[in-house]
Amino acid sequence: MNEVVKLERRDVIAIVTVNSPPVNALSAAVRGGIFDCIKSAIADPEVQAIVLTCAGRTFIAGADITEFGKPPKPPGLAEVLLAMENSPKPIIAAIHGTALGGGLEVALACHFRVATRDARLGLPEVKLGLLPGAGGTQRLPRAVGPELAVKMIVGGDPISASDALKHGLIEEIVEGPASGGESFARKVLAEKRPLRKLRDDDSKLAAARADRSIFTNAVAALTKKARGLEAPFAAADAVGAAIDLPFDEGLKKEREGFLKLVASDQSKAQRYAFFSEREAAKIAGVPEGTKPRNVERVAIIGAGTMGGGIAMSFANAGIPVTLIETGEEQLKRGMGVMQKNYEATAARGGIPADAPAKRMGLITGKVGLENVRDADLIIEAVFETMAIKKEVFTALDKYAKPGAVLASNTSYLNIDEIAKVTKRPQDVLGMHFFSPANVMKLCEIVRADKTAPDALTTAVAVARKIAKVPAVVGVCDGFVGNRMLAQRGKQSEKLLFEGALPQQVDAVVTKFGMPMGPFAMSDLAGLDIGWRSRQDRGIKSEIADALCEAGRFGQKTGKGYYKYEAGSRSALPDPEVEKLIDETLQRLGRKKRVVSDDEILERMMYPMINEGARILEEKVAARPSDIDVIWLYGYGWPIYRGGPMFYADQVGLKHIADRLSYYARETNDPSLEPSPLLKRLAAEGKTFASLTQSAKAA
Ligand code: 3H9
């Protein structure tokens, strides 16, 4: 029918196949093709049933996100779906891969659905700051009941084919999509099954109509963690409309909600994040066609918190790991922590009951570095000092097999220097995981001076395989994330000397949407670490030092910038800290002033953005969107604000540059002066996004 959708007939069955790689998204051409094929099959007197299926790796994975924000092209999806649902001949959706968003909505407008065993079905629109806009919020509750529908629509996670079968979303699990769809179509015809239009079937809504708490409780459970986000609440309202209103009115409500969200700043930021994440996996400056090396077995050096978390990430992805320690005692402790961690997750229902044993079965503990011999990738996660790292890499050079990728999990140290102790610097790079490593999605892949392109692509491919989000960065102190964070740390400390309190600074940062403020974060990490390092370097930080001298090391001592009640992690403002700050300021002859929340926000964010600009200038990061990915997935930057560089573009670079100059003057801190890149972009009225084409949907 057109280049991306074709129609063929196998006697009385019409097969409509979408073939629009990579994910069969519903572009205007796909919508038009489906529309024409369905109309033509309906008009063909020989055809008695229609199967809609897809070629390639997946069923339709949703609307074409790149079309949002552009003038709409006909036919609209709603029009296509109406024609399908009203077809007098049965239409069967035959699903494989992922039927997501608009893809599942297409399937829901069909009269029957079958899927292959490995298929996944979902409405993930909330993750893009949207709600399903083509009937999903009205048809899914009618297919599976409002409780599961809320879970899928407000939570956004897909379900498996077997769950879909259990809850009535699909009729059958089939072997192949097209052949299975065709056999099912013949069965429908043979059994003369009536057409099932979900729009007319309210049976599964009855319970929630009688007792609305079924719906409100499901919503409350899912929106608990949706702080600051608009879409989950709007999506819940749309599902509520399915319960409260007739189908067509519900559809109208859904449409209104969708149109509002698609134009919102939050959704723009979330769509930008979606594309940025995928862009980050494309490595700048690597020759086209560079193939990653084969990685079947991984070794991790160090069974501490980081090493253990990294080992778990591999085991979770089914990759065997050798976990190496210096002694039996340390190894036993590390293995025990992982076992407990898995058991706790299983007890919470986060993983199946047999998963802890299976995953621990993939982790083999060994003592001695000579045990790296079989590994294709070795990740060092030992104590963060250069001397120890060098010692480990010297040994790795001796024992690792040729071609193995040697990675350091350092969060600050110079990988070039580490690589120099080996005779194979081309195989050395950084893989900087974030704590807790089995949970946090970011992996900064550090490209050293001599890192070979295929070593780099290996690290990126492996990171994706274990469900991490990789971002390639260059060597510098703290790489991208921690280097920018250091700027925020510097300002937060200075703010205390000017009259702000820890709880005021933290409140501004959490109100912005970060999970934690800088002081609560310091308390979690432990204040003694920085104190010791300052002592080593002969540096003073009067307030932080005074806290440590008073035995306040943070959460671990129940007192730090805050106080903590026994067994609790909730930070309580402490008058003693206020007193201690006052005394310190008096001793130093500092005058307190009222610091506004606006100033705090600017001084928390703008110096980081300025550092981001320097990082771009130095080419430590290739794209502003890579920096954003690092902050989104490593530091809990709120997804609806897109990342620091995206946020900066929204605020306006001229404003940011002006305010930085102002603070440089007012606080007598020349390091706050806008960087040359920021200054130039501000003067030209440009954005960071103008530096690349990376953000397709922004
Ligand atoms: C929606 O449907 C709204 C409707 O309710 C209402 C309409 C009125 N559009 O992730 P991958 C690209 S909202 C355009 O690396 P994987 C992606 O950018 C949508 N492009 O593969 C990448 O391009 P490139 C609801 C898309 O195998 C390439 O495809 N649906 C889209 O790891 C491969 O992607 C969703 O939110 C798209 N919809 O994972 C699903 N999807 O190669 C979004 C992907 O140039 N998609 N691309 O970098 C996904 O979750 C994953 O892509 C998927 C495949 C699981 C499908």
Side-chain angles (χ1 to χ4, degrees):
M1 271 288 174
N2 68 16
E3 275 178 6
V4 287
V5 189
K6 77 172 193 292
L7 173 65
E8 58 185 317
R9 190 152 65 73
R10 300 202 187 130
D11 57 76
V12 295
I13 313 286
I15 313 268
V16 177
T17 308
V18 180
N19 186 5
S20 180
V23 296
N24 291 314
L26 290 160
S27 61
V30 170
R31 295 195 302 273
I34 296 177
F35 199 30
D36 291 343
C37 289
I38 296 286
K39 278 194 295 192
S40 166
I42 293 172
D44 183 343
E46 302 290 320
V47 170
Q48 292 179 20
I50 304 162
V51 175
L52 174 68
T53 189
C54 290
R57 66 195 217 219
T58 178
F59 192 75
I60 302 163
D64 185 339
I65 309 167
T66 59
E67 284 187 0
F68 293 151
K70 296 181 187 155
K73 282 192 203 152
L77 191 54
E79 192 186 346
V80 181
L81 299 196
L82 196 65
M84 291 172 68
E85 196 167 48
N86 288 337
S87 158
K89 300 175 183 178
I91 306 184
I92 294 99
I95 297 165
H96 75 292
T98 42
L100 297 178
L104 183 58
E105 292 178 298
V106 168
L108 285 165
C110 294
H111 307 109
F112 305 98
R113 287 154 293 281
V114 296
T116 54
R117 191 162 298 283
D118 59 356
R120 298 186 67 75
L121 300 88
L123 292 174
E125 283 87 342
V126 276
K127 299 195 175 172
L128 297 169
L130 298 169
L131 58 81
T137 62
Q138 307 304 299
R139 289 193 183 93
L140 188 66
R142 286 173 163 84
V144 302
E147 223 175 328
L148 179 58
V150 164
K151 229 170 152 183
M152 291 172 70
I153 294 170
V154 179
D157 288 331
I159 61 170
S160 65
S162 58
D163 280 342
L165 182 67
K166 194 161 92 192
H167 294 280
L169 180 52
I170 59 171
E171 270 72 26
E172 257 181 33
I173 291 186
V174 295
E175 287 303 317
S179 57
E182 190 185 329
S183 318
F184 188 81
R186 292 191 194 283
K187 186 150 66 173
V188 167
L189 293 176
E191 293 174 2
K192 297 194 171 52
R193 286 202 200 182
L195 300 188
R196 184 167 176 232
K197 293 187 193 178
L198 285 171
R199 65 156 59 228
D200 296 334
D201 183 357
D202 284 5
S203 56
K204 289 200 174 167
L205 298 177
R209 280 181 176 161
D211 175 7
R212 219 171 179 278
S213 69
I214 295 177
F215 164 71
T216 45
N217 289 346
V219 170
L222 277 150
T223 46
K224 230 175 20 203
K225 285 191 190 154
R227 201 168 60 98
L229 291 163
E230 291 160 4
F233 297 94
D237 284 348
V239 179
I243 298 169
D244 301 334
L245 302 172
F247 182 83
D248 285 323
E249 281 181 43
L251 215 52
K252 229 174 98 196
K253 274 258 176 239
E254 176 196 85
R255 191 78 202 142
E256 286 165 14
F258 177 81
L259 289 175
K260 203 164 150 205
L261 288 180
V262 84
S264 70
D265 288 342
Q266 288 206 352
S267 177
K268 276 181 208 154
Q270 288 177 256
R271 274 138 48 199
Y272 164 86
F274 175 85
F275 286 115
S276 299
E277 178 186 331
R278 279 148 187 85
E279 200 69 9
K282 295 169 193 151
I283 315 165
V286 161
E288 190 127 345
T290 304
K291 289 245 164 358
R293 301 178 193 172
N294 195 27
V295 174
E296 276 170 24
R297 188 160 193 103
V298 176
I300 292 162
I301 320 291
T305 316
M306 279 318 280
I310 300 168
M312 288 171 78
S313 301
F314 280 95
N316 295 347
I319 300 172
V321 180
T322 310
L323 186 62
I324 296 170
E325 256 299 347
T326 46
E328 290 292 347
E329 189 70 8
Q330 295 90 326
L331 192 59
K332 213 170 126 200
R333 199 179 321 127
M335 297 291 273
V337 171
M338 290 187 289
Q339 176 85 38
K340 266 210 196 119
N341 204 323
Y342 274 137
E343 276 164 10
T345 314
R348 273 202 314 271
I351 50 173
D354 61 348
K358 272 194 192 153
R359 297 184 191 187
M360 284 307 291
L362 286 168
I363 306 173
T364 314
K366 292 272 184 195
V367 171
L369 286 172
E370 63 281 11
N371 291 295
V372 300
R373 282 192 176 102
D374 292 344
D376 307 298
L377 165 67
I378 302 163
I379 303 173
E380 161 280 306
V382 303
F383 202 70
E384 193 75 343
T385 54
M386 187 52 100
I388 299 179
K389 304 271 185 201
K390 282 184 173 172
E391 218 174 277
V392 169
F393 273 78
T394 307
L396 293 184
D397 194 27
K398 184 166 157 203
Y399 297 120
K401 67 179 177 190
V405 173
L406 313 182
S408 170
N409 175 53
T410 178
S411 43
Y412 284 95
L413 298 172
N414 186 326
I415 312 274
D416 289 325
E417 215 179 298
I418 296 174
K420 265 191 206 140
V421 302
T422 74
K423 287 188 260 339
R424 42 173 128 181
Q426 73 280 2
D427 296 335
V428 180
L429 45 74
M431 283 183 88
H432 178 208
F433 291 85
F434 288 69
S435 188
N438 53 319
V439 177
M440 296 302 285
K441 290 189 78 180
L442 178 67
C443 183
E444 278 182 328
I445 311 277
V446 190
R447 175 191 225 154
D449 195 26
K450 297 214 162 68
T451 308
D454 66 335
L456 205 57
T457 47
T458 307
V460 167
V462 163
R464 288 202 88 188
K465 214 162 161 187
I466 59 169
K468 300 292 175 204
V469 178
V472 176
V473 302
V475 172
C476 68
D477 187 31
F479 312 121
V480 170
N482 284 343
R483 177 170 158 183
M484 287 167 71
L485 189 67
Q487 294 299 323
R488 192 183 81 175
K490 206 168 126 190
Q491 290 304 312
S492 53
E493 210 181 312
K494 280 176 75 176
L495 282 164
L496 298 190
F497 286 95
E498 293 170 42
L501 286 173
Q503 54 267 33
Q504 189 194 356
V505 175
D506 281 358
V508 170
V509 172
T510 51
K511 187 165 164 236
F512 179 81
M514 300 295 292
M516 253 187 188
F519 295 106
M521 211 164 117
S522 299
D523 272 1
L524 178 66
L527 305 184
D528 49 328
I529 302 168
W531 186 39
R532 243 178 265 128
S533 140
R534 284 194 298 277
Q535 283 172 335
D536 284 352
R537 290 176 292 152
I539 301 172
K540 269 186 116 29
S541 173
E542 277 86 357
I543 294 171
D545 290 352
L547 286 169
C548 289
E549 278 152 20
R552 306 184 68 116
F553 291 168
Q555 278 195 25
K556 58 178 137 186
T557 54
K559 285 175 174 182
Y561 283 105
Y562 296 93
K563 62 181 174 191
Y564 300 85
E565 268 156 20
S568 161
R569 283 165 174 253
S570 71
L572 304 170
D574 188 348
E576 269 181 37
V577 173
E578 219 168 303
K579 202 166 139 238
L580 185 145
I581 294 175
D582 276 346
E583 284 167 3
T584 311
L585 297 195
Q586 267 168 25
R587 183 161 47 80
L588 298 172
R590 300 281 185 105
K591 256 218 179 104
K592 269 169 72 164
R593 66 181 172 90
V594 176
V595 185
S596 75
D597 285 359
D598 285 346
E599 173 174 348
I600 291 174
L601 185 65
E602 291 187 335
R603 288 179 61 186
M604 290 293 92
M605 301 301 162
Y606 296 176
M608 289 209 302
I609 291 162
N610 202 20
E611 196 64 23
R614 286 191 197 104
I615 283 169
L616 288 171
E617 266 165 347
E618 293 167 23
K619 302 207 177 343
V620 167
R623 299 167 278 242
S625 58
D626 289 357
I627 298 179
D628 287 334
V629 163
I630 286 166
W631 275 84
L632 287 167
Y633 296 105
Y635 297 84
W637 183 278
I639 188 120
Y640 56 85
R641 293 193 196 271
M645 309 315 272
F646 181 87
Y647 170 71
D649 282 350
Q650 311 304 302
V651 173
L653 299 191
K654 175 156 180 354
H655 173 76
I656 292 178
D658 289 349
R659 296 304 287 165
L660 280 166
S661 293
Y662 167 81
Y663 290 122
R665 272 195 318 273
E666 287 297 307
T667 67
N668 197 18
D669 181 354
S671 76
L672 284 177
E673 279 299 344
S675 77
L677 175 66
L678 178 56
K679 244 190 205 150
R680 173 172 72 75
L681 292 173
E684 292 171 358
K686 287 194 175 153
T687 58
F688 286 120
S690 72
L691 297 172
T692 55
Q693 295 301 313
S694 62
K696 294 185 206 173

